[in-house]
Amino acid sequence: MGHDQVLEAFQLECAALGDAVAGLSEAEWNLPTRCTPWTVRDLLGHVCVVIDWLPAMLDAPEPGEADISAVEYYRPDDRFSPQTNAKRIALAQDRAARPADGAAFAEDFAATWRRVDRLCQDQPGGRTVRTRHGDTMLLPEFVLTRVVEVAVHGLDLADALGREAWLTPAAGDAVAELLLGAEHAPAADQLEWSRSRFLRKATGRESLTEAEAAQVERLGIRWLALG
């Protein structure tokens, strides 16, 4: 996907998530999510953290040529280790604890993603960045991984809150293409699933029935594991 397309998906999905959490009650902020041990508040804290890596990345000297894509970013190494996961949990909980209340936290999220969006808008599509894992990536490729975070965890938040998914078409299509590869993305339409259901199935949030697994196999669909 191009720079402008990725940023549009990022903007739309972040705005939808921001609208969804605005006005939550304190009881709703403290509901558990499937991402144990995070509550709704903690999970939004995680989303804030992973978006907020970008300002420092853009402020740092530009590294050399990109060496990995968004797909390769999800390779199974120490980024999914128990130690790294423990740090991920703690960072999210620390970020969630900063705002005085839920309303302030919703505003913090909105300010965070809008700042990142402005910074990215000022960059050329060929800009490279270095991730905290040491990868060198094209900026649009890294932003695409942030779209994954906002979209997939948006499903987790919607489920925790007992709401219909607010997944935007732009983000749903972007994540589906990442998971499947551009050559297999059209095959997903033959499954006749909504994008939200597809992402739940593809990320293991909803189990495949035997019939669905057979259809996926028949269509030659191989989706990316997100760790």
Side-chain angles (χ1 to χ4, degrees):
M1 297 185 70
H3 184 61
D4 292 342
Q5 286 177 295
V6 173
L7 284 181
E8 181 181 23
F10 177 76
Q11 294 160 5
L12 293 172
E13 194 64 17
C14 285
L17 175 53
D19 288 343
V21 299
L24 290 183
S25 68
E26 285 305 306
E28 288 174 313
W29 281 111
N30 292 314
L31 287 170
T33 71
R34 63 165 56 92
C35 302
T36 307
W38 286 333
T39 61
V40 166
R41 183 189 297 270
D42 296 332
L43 186 49
L44 187 65
H46 170 68
V47 175
C48 286
V49 167
V50 300
I51 291 173
D52 218 11
W53 293 122
L54 268 157
M57 292 165 64
L58 291 171
D59 194 46
E62 185 172 3
E65 187 175 346
D67 53 25
I68 69 161
S69 66
V71 170
E72 295 164 321
Y73 176 84
Y74 292 102
R75 64 190 183 277
D77 57 16
D78 63 353
R79 71 195 64 202
F80 298 120
S81 69
Q83 294 83 0
T84 303
N85 197 48
K87 292 178 183 177
R88 189 177 289 119
I89 290 169
L91 284 170
Q93 291 174 331
D94 177 69
R95 182 61 179 263
R98 292 183 200 172
D101 55 30
F105 196 16
E107 291 174 3
D108 178 39
F109 169 70
T112 297
W113 80 257
R114 285 174 181 152
R115 178 191 178 208
V116 166
D117 179 54
R118 287 194 301 271
L119 292 172
C120 291
Q121 293 281 359
D122 291 338
Q123 301 295 323
R127 168 69 196 267
T128 58
V129 293
R130 191 178 305 282
T131 74
R132 68 190 183 102
H133 302 294
D135 303 318
T136 301
M137 302 177 68
L138 285 169
L139 177 60
E141 290 287 296
F142 184 74
V143 174
L144 180 54
T145 68
R146 305 306 91 180
V147 175
V148 172
E149 295 279 352
V150 181
V152 173
H153 287 313
L155 296 178
D156 297 327
L157 290 167
D159 291 345
L161 294 165
R163 297 188 185 180
E164 290 294 320
W166 50 77
L167 180 70
T168 62
D173 288 347
V175 180
E177 184 173 319
L178 172 65
L179 291 169
L180 295 169
E183 68 277 14
H184 292 298
D189 294 333
Q190 297 182 48
L191 296 169
E192 298 182 346
W193 295 341
S194 67
R195 276 292 184 251
S196 58
R197 190 177 183 206
F198 171 81
L199 293 189
R200 286 193 175 96
K201 297 278 188 182
T203 60
R205 283 162 169 79
E206 185 177 322
S207 298
L208 290 169
T209 65
E210 288 187 13
E212 289 169 342
Q215 188 179 16
V216 166
E217 181 70 23
R218 188 166 56 251
L219 291 170
I221 291 174
R222 298 289 185 274
W223 42 53
L224 177 69
L226 297 181

